Amino acid sequence: MNYDHMIRRYRQWRSLPEMFFDQALLLGDKAVFAAKRGGRFEPVSWRQAAGQVRALARALRKLGIAPGDRVVLVSENRPEFAIADLGIMAAGAITVPAYVTNTVQDHLYVLENSGACAAIVSTRPLAERVLAAAQMTAACRSLIAIEPWLRGQTSAVDVLSWADFLESAAADAGDVAAWVAALDRRDTACIIYTSGTGGVPKGVMLSHGAILSNCMGAYDLLFELGLDDEVFLSFLPLSHSYEHTAGQFFPLSIGACICYAEGVESLGKNMVEARPTLMTSVPRLYESLHRRILANVERAGPLSRYLFNAAVALGKRAYEAPGSLSIRERLADLALDVLVRRKLRKRFGGRLKAFVSGGAPLAYDIGLFFTALGVRLLQGYGQTESAPVISCNAPARNRIGTVGAPLLDVEVALAEDGEILVQGELVMQGYWRDEPATAAAIREGWLYTGDIGTIDDHGTITITDRKKDIIVNSGGDNVSPLRVEGRLTLEPEIGQAMVFGDRKPHLVAVIVPDADFARSWGRSHGQGEDWAAFAADAAFHRALAAAVQRANDSLSPIEHVRRFVVAPEPFTIENGLLTPTLKLRRYKIRELYGARLEALYGAG
């Protein structure tokens, strides 16, 4: 793949559908998508996918969908998501992806706020929730069900079968090529609703050019890895801008095959089956993998544990103090690469060129752990409002603890208070129907990210915190909750944590015990496996307190967590305490635990 030729193509493509159809013309019968069917990954060719995209675009136009209309898309990760996304755009309409975890009220908000006139939904349970919301709106009159389900008129909403819907336009003469040619890079491609970490979601309008610019930056960044016959494993929600761009449109732009994971619980098995070469995820996955790897090592024999620990120790030294290994140690490290690291890489499929981490800060110790074990883990940075990637570490210049340099054609600066400002084609067009919020976020062409950071002489960015999340204690000291929480969750007894202490004399926290630790503790103390039943037990609390103290020992005095409450259940998407991309919904956690946290300040 010629670098200069590809960069020119990225700059010349006028829309995402044009990019897709250009690639389909070149790649024909090569697999573009693969999903599990009957126990194995079944491929869909570029030619087949392109045919379905054209059919959907014609069917949507026949239904009355006009350029600029909004169509909601609710689906788990599967080939039909991408086909629907591209079909909506090829018809000149705007895709509005929505999370599969949305409640009826969540869907009602998205439908009403976006003014969507139709929805495409995958499974029956999802369709039932969307239909219930659609029946309460004036605009949404059609629901296209990907999987066979109810058909016909239902309370003024037409429920249509995906297969029948595509077939209805088979003989239609609609000129999809002309519709695609009429699209411009400045046209809105999608409206992606923020995941609501701090309140009501806002609809972020992203242009075709913004996403294409992101894809070009990713290509430029990863070119040194030898991009050729790539395979991506997609499992993060495609309704989130990170996976939407990095896990869908970037792979399509380089002619890769996208394999769809069956779910988080099947991810390890799917990695071995799909053998991905590139994969994007959030820090929560890498933290989980870190715990599982260490747990497996603990169960292994003494020799295996010794070899593993030696590989980690030498790998860390090689990264943190280049050139410090003696000749004997370098030879030992080469042997450990065969005995330890190669076996670990096979667990990820054996072909992985890089993991890319984004969506939240990656703890330094986690990045160092994987680097020491020969697994390339590149941390990036961005937000939905920037389509979403702003910067990322390059493979040859991977600096753990930073988020790398800005992507190609992206300009980054710092405001006087350290807030990171971004300029370039990647910046959103604004928030849908929210001019005040748009004016606050974009000023004189600069996107005000709300993140605080530093930029060194090489252009490398380090994020220190979210501006709005910084805790200012009663002494006027600024404390990064993300840093403290990241350190707490490195302790094996602690699964999740949220710290609290704005305008208070010190920090307190909500602690979620690690599930494996809690089960083990419960069995050994004859109290079962449900930590909710013994969360108030004094001995259990002391075990967690010891873990908090170990974390405090590596933090400054103003970052110390003095007291904590034990959560009776984990923070999950289902209970609304995590976003679909596994970020803490801080305002929800504060609502639930605020009174107990306030009471800690009155404790003796």
Side-chain angles (χ1 to χ4, degrees):
M1 190 181 294
N2 181 276
Y3 174 85
D4 292 331
H5 174 68
M6 275 300 298
I7 294 297
R8 282 196 299 271
R9 292 183 79 192
Y10 278 116
R11 296 191 193 282
Q12 291 168 358
W13 279 322
R14 292 167 294 179
S15 70
L16 296 165
E18 182 181 60
M19 175 271 290
F20 170 76
F21 285 125
D22 277 0
Q23 293 291 53
L25 192 62
L26 288 172
L27 299 168
D29 293 324
K30 183 183 175 184
V32 59
F33 306 125
K36 288 295 282 291
R37 301 281 191 274
R40 59 190 296 267
F41 279 101
E42 292 289 343
V44 177
S45 73
W46 282 86
R47 194 184 318 280
Q48 291 170 320
Q52 291 186 55
V53 170
R54 290 189 187 94
L56 181 62
R58 292 191 185 102
L60 289 169
R61 282 289 186 101
K62 189 175 180 180
L63 186 65
I65 303 297
D69 282 349
R70 279 77 61 204
V71 178
V72 164
L73 174 56
V74 186
S75 171
E76 70 283 13
N77 294 21
R78 57 192 290 170
E80 291 87 353
F81 186 105
I83 290 165
D85 199 6
L86 286 158
I88 293 165
M89 294 178 188
I94 298 169
T95 304
V96 183
Y99 290 107
V100 298
T101 53
N102 278 1
T103 64
V104 172
Q105 288 302 312
D106 293 332
H107 284 310
L108 179 60
Y109 174 82
V110 171
L111 287 168
E112 289 189 328
N113 187 264
S114 68
C117 53
I120 298 176
V121 191
S122 58
T123 64
R124 177 172 180 168
L126 297 179
E128 287 175 339
R129 293 204 295 272
V130 176
L131 179 61
Q135 290 170 342
M136 292 185 274
T137 69
C140 187
R141 298 278 62 89
S142 301
L143 186 151
I144 298 104
I146 293 173
E147 295 187 0
W149 188 52
L150 178 70
R151 302 180 187 182
Q153 187 83 10
T154 306
S155 302
V157 177
D158 286 325
V159 178
L160 309 167
S161 157
W162 169 271
D164 292 346
F165 189 60
L166 268 60
E167 181 64 28
S168 70
D172 194 83
D175 191 347
V176 178
W179 303 338
V180 171
L183 293 171
D184 185 85
R185 290 178 74 97
R186 293 167 294 184
D187 291 336
T188 304
C190 57
I191 299 173
I192 296 185
Y193 282 81
T194 57
S195 53
T197 57
V200 177
K202 295 191 287 289
V204 176
M205 297 185 289
L206 297 176
S207 68
H208 291 273
I211 296 174
L212 286 167
S213 173
N214 242 226
C215 293
M216 179 181 70
Y219 173 80
D220 170 72
L221 179 86
L222 299 174
F223 178 76
E224 65 187 78
L225 294 179
L227 299 177
D228 184 18
D229 192 18
E230 305 305 319
V231 175
F232 280 67
L233 183 62
S234 173
F235 91 98
L236 289 178
L238 281 163
S239 47
H240 189 274
S241 60
Y242 182 30
E243 190 73 4
H244 192 243
T245 293
Q248 176 171 286
F249 283 112
F250 173 58
L252 292 176
S253 77
I254 61 171
C257 177
I258 304 171
C259 294
Y260 296 96
E262 296 171 277
V264 176
E265 66 285 347
S266 302
L267 197 58
K269 176 169 68 80
N270 290 163
M271 290 182 75
V272 173
E273 295 167 330
R275 303 184 65 221
T277 60
L278 292 166
M279 190 169 167
T280 58
S281 190
V282 292
R284 188 70 180 160
L285 170 69
Y286 307 119
E287 292 165 4
S288 176
L289 290 174
H290 170 257
R291 289 176 188 275
R292 291 180 191 175
I293 291 167
L294 291 182
N296 288 337
V297 170
E298 282 301 309
R299 290 192 290 267
L303 179 59
S304 294
R305 286 200 300 272
Y306 172 80
L307 292 173
F308 179 87
N309 291 332
V312 172
L314 288 176
K316 287 181 176 180
R317 276 185 54 201
Y319 173 81
E320 295 189 315
S324 66
L325 299 186
S326 66
I327 294 175
R328 182 178 177 180
E329 287 172 326
R330 288 199 296 271
L331 290 173
D333 197 49
L334 288 172
L336 289 167
D337 199 56
V338 175
L339 297 171
V340 176
R341 299 187 184 104
R342 185 178 295 177
K343 291 179 180 178
L344 179 65
R345 288 192 288 266
K346 284 183 179 179
R347 292 183 57 182
F348 301 141
R351 298 192 303 172
L352 192 69
K353 296 178 181 180
F355 276 127
V356 181
S357 179
L362 178 73
Y364 178 87
D365 288 353
I366 298 295
L368 183 60
F369 175 82
F370 283 101
T371 298
L373 289 171
V375 178
R376 184 182 282 117
L377 179 51
L378 307 174
Q379 184 176 11
Y381 159 66
Q383 54 187 220
T384 305
E385 290 85 348
S386 58
V389 187
I390 293 168
S391 68
C392 188
N393 276 285
R397 300 177 299 282
N398 190 15
R399 291 182 54 195
I400 303 169
T402 78
V403 294
L407 298 187
L408 183 65
D409 287 354
V410 177
E411 188 175 355
V412 173
L414 296 179
E416 288 186 5
D417 62 356
E419 183 174 359
I420 296 169
L421 313 181
V422 180
Q423 193 172 66
E425 190 180 21
L426 78 168
V427 172
M428 69 171 178
Q429 297 166 308
Y431 295 113
W432 175 257
R433 293 179 174 172
D434 195 340
E435 292 183 7
T438 299
I442 303 175
R443 300 173 230 166
E444 298 181 352
W446 288 94
L447 173 66
Y448 281 65
T449 65
D451 291 309
I452 303 295
T454 61
I455 305 174
D456 69 14
D457 293 340
H458 302 286
T460 301
I461 302 168
T462 300
I463 308 297
T464 56
D465 216 321
R466 281 291 294 169
K467 188 174 180 178
K468 65 182 179 182
D469 288 337
I470 286 177
I471 291 172
V472 182
N473 66 21
S474 57
D477 298 305
N478 288 354
V479 180
S480 164
L482 295 174
R483 170 177 155 78
V484 178
E485 290 157 2
R487 184 61 193 83
L488 286 167
T489 54
L490 285 176
E491 297 302 326
E493 298 90 343
I494 300 174
Q496 296 167 301
M498 193 198 83
V499 299
F500 175 91
D502 202 42
R503 298 184 296 277
K504 301 292 183 182
H506 56 260
L507 298 183
V508 296
V510 181
I511 298 293
V512 176
D514 175 74
D516 289 338
F517 162 72
R519 282 192 292 267
S520 175
W521 193 94
R523 287 194 298 268
S524 65
H525 288 74
Q527 297 192 34
E529 297 187 4
D530 181 8
W531 82 62
F534 54 80
D537 186 282
F540 184 68
H541 198 278
R542 284 195 296 272
L544 291 176
V548 171
Q549 185 55 52
R550 290 197 301 272
N552 283 342
D553 289 343
S554 62
L555 296 168
S556 67
I558 63 168
E559 295 173 309
H560 286 184
V561 172
R562 303 289 182 86
R563 296 182 177 87
F564 61 90
V565 297
V566 180
E569 62 176 352
F571 306 149
T572 67
I573 297 169
E574 290 71 24
N575 64 22
L577 302 183
L578 287 183
T579 72
T581 50
L582 308 182
K583 295 179 184 177
L584 299 179
R585 275 203 167 102
R586 295 180 183 277
Y587 76 103
K588 287 285 189 182
I589 299 171
R590 283 194 293 268
E591 286 177 3
L592 187 61
Y593 293 98
R596 293 178 63 189
L597 291 169
E598 289 285 355
L600 292 177
Y601 290 103

